[in-house]
Structures are given as structure tokens and as C-alpha cells.
Amino acid sequence: MANTGDLKSLADSISSVTSPFRNYLSDLHEKYQSLTEGAVADYIPELALADPNWFGICVATVDGQVFEVGNCTQTFTIQSISKAFVYGLALEDRGRDYVNSKVGVEPTGEAFNAIVLDEGTNRPYNPMVNAGAIATADLISGQDGTERLKRMLDMFQRYTGRGHDISVPVFMSEKSTGNRNRAIAYLMLNFGMVGEKLEETLDLYFQQCSILVNARDLAMMAATLANGGVNPCTGDRALDERYVQDVISVMLTCGMYDYSGEWAYRVGMPAKSGVGGGITAVSPGKLGIGIFSPPLDAKGNSVRGVKVCEELSSEFGLHPFSVGKAKRDLAEWIAGSADIDSW
Ligand code: GLU
């Protein structure tokens, strides 16, 4: 089914052979492919099946250029990365004031799955820990679980430009082993912080964690946030512009588990990681980064993913508080060197 888009893609991928930015990413990929630290998540058997060698880096710019190296079409479950985007949908569904009354925006030094709520307000601390993510999923509108899930999947499609499936084995495992999440949810029910349809919401939460994405999707999701909520390749609005700042702010303060402070210090890009090995990172007004590499460090972040983001941030001056001249000028490096393989 060759059409103009396919031909353009072909031309772009041929031109990518000489793309300086793509070559830079290839070198980065090669440099960190040999890093074998970290361990693949194994709290459910399906995640333990991931190949530790899988490694994809994708960068999508706000003007719609896509650069990718390595395993960028290999799918994996989005896991906690979903939390940031579902938070955006909850803000659209319920408005900021109501969402704020149910979920805080304060970082916590506790583990992501801690059974803890803010003592004063009974709110979960933020939408990136499991308590906050379950309370956020509870806010998603829809007549029943099917409609609520469909609204989530439609939202992800607006971010990535393609439809998404759920990994049924991962969902079933998350559900059957998810007693800790169930305990958190029922504690919140006890305090009236979530509604009565809690089992439906828990299923929705387990399903959102089980959505299949690839590194390119993560780059497009981040690029969409970087572009004010509009997917730079499709032109579709994925998130109301009013809420983009809210979402990327909690990504910066709470997105990288208990490494979030270090991350803000070293990398500075709002980001979210998940135990499937994905990281999505936003450079507002510039680009989105998607990385997939399953081995995780002790904090639960992809080892190679953290390294790549650190290096991209320092080389191209992507830290928002960076005041010096970047070692490499991003505009020069990416100018006219698109690597769009399949748009
Ligand atoms: N499904 C996981 C849980 O609820 C999320 C893990 C993660 O990516 O942090 O425990």
C-alpha cells in the first residue's frame, strides 16, 4: 500500500544514513548497549521474559522529526508511565480543583507502592505513586469499566498516533498478585477518597499498566507534551493545553521513583519511568525522548535509559535551568536530518 506518505518515509529513512543526530544517537546506543548492570523486573513472570539486551532510543521533535535507533518497535507494557498520562485525562474529566482535592502533588520519599496517605488530608501524596495512580484512575469518567478503558486507550492513541492493545497475561498477573494495590485502594475507600466502584477501578488500573507500547510511542507521547498537548506528527490534540504544565510538573518532581530528586538535579527533564523498562522524557518546546531497556537499577529505573537521558541532557543543554552554552547546539544537530521511518 505505497502512498505518498510511504514514499516520503522511504526518502527520509534513506537520508537518515547521513543524519548527524541519528549518528550521534547510534554512537550513544552502542556506548550503552554493553552496559549490563541492573535486573529485569520479575515480580510477575511475564516481565521476567524480557530480553535484557533490548534497547531502543527514539527522539521526536516538536516539528515532527523522528529519530530512532535500536529496538524502537519492540512492544512492552507501559506500567507506571501510564500514570502521568491518565492524570492528564483525569484533569480533563474533573477539572484541577476536584482532582487536587483527591490527589496531592507532593513528592514522597516512600516507596512507590507504600501504603501511606497524607495524614492531614487523607489524600495520596501524588499521582505517580500507586495510591495516587489508583485514586486518579478512579476519576476517569465512563458508564462502566469498558467505556472507561476505551477512553484511556483512545487518549493514548491521540498521543502516539496508533491504536494500543493490552497484554492480557500481564493484566491477569497484575490482577491476581495485586493485593498490595487492593489494600491501598480499600484504605482510600475507608477515608472516602475513592468511589464505591473500586474493583472496577482496580481492574482499570491493572489494565492501564498492561497497555503495550514501544520506544517510539514513548517519544511521541513526550513530544506531544513538549508541543503543548498536540501530537506533532498527526496534529491531534491529546491533552488540553491548560493541563500540560500540571502533568509535566508532577513528572519532574515525582516521575522517577525515589530517584526523582537526583534526576531533577542531573537531568532536569520531566520524565516518567516504568518497571517494564521504559522512560519517557520531555524537553518542553523542543522534543520528547522514548527509551526502552528492561534492566532496572535499585530504584526501579531503566539503567541504560537513565544514562542516555543524562548524556542527552548534558550534551544538548536540555536541563531547564542550564544557563551555559550547550556543548552541542540542538537546532544545528537536528536541522533537516529527519529519520521518519514509518509515518
Ligand atoms: N503495575 C505496577 C504496580 O502497580 C506498576 C509498576 C511500575 O511500573 O511502577 O505495582
Side-chain angles (χ1 to χ4, degrees), residues 305-323:
V306 169
K307 290 281 180 207
V308 167
C309 287
E310 273 181 10
E311 197 153 324
L312 281 170
S313 178
S314 91
E315 289 293 310
F316 292 96
L318 299 177
H319 196 297
F321 308 144
S322 147
V323 287

Side-chain angles (χ1 to χ4, degrees), residues 43 79-81 83 112 130 174 181 205 209 257 273-276:
Y43 71 92
Q79 295 292 349
S80 272
I81 297 169
K83 294 170 177 173
F112 73 99
N130 286 8
E174 294 281 355
N181 286 325
Y205 171 71
C209 289
Y257 301 111
S273 70
V275 292

Side-chain angles (χ1 to χ4, degrees), residues 14 24 65 70 103 135 176 188 190 204 224 231 239 275 285 302 306:
I14 291 167
Y24 168 81
Q65 300 187 71
V103 188
S176 64
M188 293 193 293
N190 175 65
L204 190 61
T224 298
N231 178 310
L239 177 62
V275 292
S302 166
V306 169

Side-chain angles (χ1 to χ4, degrees), residues 7 43 52-53 98 122 131 144 163-164 195 212 235 240 270 278 301 304 317:
L7 295 175
Y43 71 92
N53 293 313
Y98 189 73
N122 293 324
D144 53 23
H164 292 276
L212 290 163
D240 188 323
N301 297 311
R304 294 190 189 105

Side-chain angles (χ1 to χ4, degrees), residues 173-195:
S173 277
E174 294 281 355
K175 184 177 162 86
S176 64
T177 62
N179 285 334
R180 193 178 176 96
N181 286 325
R182 219 163 265 121
I184 295 170
Y186 278 90
L187 180 66
M188 293 193 293
L189 181 62
N190 175 65
F191 288 119
M193 300 309 285
V194 288

Side-chain angles (χ1 to χ4, degrees), residues 39-235:
V40 171
D42 60 359
Y43 71 92
I44 53 173
E46 288 73 18
L47 292 182
L49 297 174
D51 182 343
N53 293 313
W54 281 333
F55 184 22
I57 306 173
C58 182
V59 174
T61 64
V62 293
D63 60 1
Q65 300 187 71
V66 181
F67 303 85
E68 53 186 33
V69 178
N71 307 109
C72 288
T73 53
Q74 172 63 49
T75 56
F76 55 95
T77 51
I78 188 168
Q79 295 292 349
S80 272
I81 297 169
S82 63
K83 294 170 177 173
F85 299 89
V86 173
Y87 183 60
L89 186 58
L91 286 164
E92 286 184 333
D93 281 357
R94 306 290 177 138
R96 188 179 292 125
D97 289 347
Y98 189 73
V99 172
N100 284 176
S101 75
K102 297 290 181 188
V103 188
V105 290
E106 206 59 56
T108 154
E110 309 274 354
F112 73 99
N113 59 359
I115 306 181
V116 59
L117 302 174
D118 182 316
E119 268 185 30
T121 62
N122 293 324
R123 288 179 309 172
Y125 276 90
N126 66 68
M128 306 299 187
V129 290
N130 286 8
I134 294 166
T136 302
D138 193 58
L139 298 174
I140 300 306
S141 301
Q143 271 181 346
D144 53 23
T146 310
E147 190 187 337
R148 294 166 77 198
L149 176 62
K150 182 174 180 319
R151 292 192 63 248
M152 272 191 193
L153 290 170
D154 288 348
M155 170 199 68
F156 281 107
Q157 176 158 8
R158 290 193 297 276
Y159 275 101
T160 66
R162 72 180 193 101
H164 292 276
D165 294 323
I166 287 191
S167 163
V168 175
V170 171
F171 163 58
M172 296 305 284
S173 277
E174 294 281 355
K175 184 177 162 86
S176 64
T177 62
N179 285 334
R180 193 178 176 96
N181 286 325
R182 219 163 265 121
I184 295 170
Y186 278 90
L187 180 66
M188 293 193 293
L189 181 62
N190 175 65
F191 288 119
M193 300 309 285
V194 288
E196 296 290 335
K197 290 201 286 185
L198 199 47
E199 285 300 326
E200 182 184 295
T201 286
L202 277 163
D203 271 358
L204 190 61
Y205 171 71
F206 295 134
Q207 285 163 330
Q208 80 175 60
C209 289
S210 309
I211 293 172
L212 290 163
V213 291
N214 59 36
R216 187 191 298 172
D217 295 329
L218 297 184
M220 290 312 308
M221 288 156 66
T224 298
L225 289 175
N227 193 38
V230 174
N231 178 310
C233 287
T234 65

